[in-house]
Amino acid sequence: MMISTRGRYALRVMIDLAEQQTNNFVPLKEIAERQEISEKYLENIVKNLVQNGFLEGLRGKGGGYRLVRDPDQYTVGSILRLMEGSLAPVSCLEQRAQPCGREAICRTLPMWRNLYELVNNYFDGITLADLIAPAQSGDDYVI
């Protein structure tokens, strides 16, 4: 599985907004500058996030974007699935996959299902709040 630039940048936008800790709208230009991402490229990403209820946008002076929920209400999994469409490691596990004639005899299907479950559980167990939390003391030990 390879997470696209679109998915990674959506996470960066969401983290950036979560770090602002404000109810104010944050201009896309500021987000783009902080994240060193093209504002034009981010326009499509935030449009998708707004249309799907992850962000709220406001046009004009004082406009920009903000989270509609608290950072602990967004999981990495929900953001990535929105942007990527699926986190399935093989096409037969996609939501609307065509039935596979080999399913009954496929020796690898259980392995792919387990991986799919692990990936989803892992990403669904991480929230934006987790990603913006300061490192715990002791977590910075280096050998």
Side-chain angles (χ1 to χ4, degrees), residues 8 10 15 34 70 73 77 85 93 99 103 110 113 126 133-134 141:
R8 293 191 327 268
I15 291 167
R34 275 193 297 274
D70 291 333
Q73 300 299 305
L93 293 177
E103 183 175 348
R113 281 189 178 135
I126 303 170
Y141 184 76

Side-chain angles (χ1 to χ4, degrees), residues 18 31 39 59 66-67 70 96 98 105 111 121 133 135:
I31 298 168
E39 186 176 352
R59 292 178 178 235
R66 68 181 178 192
L67 300 178
D70 291 333
R96 294 179 190 91
Q98 295 294 322
I105 60 169
M111 173 189 67
N121 288 340

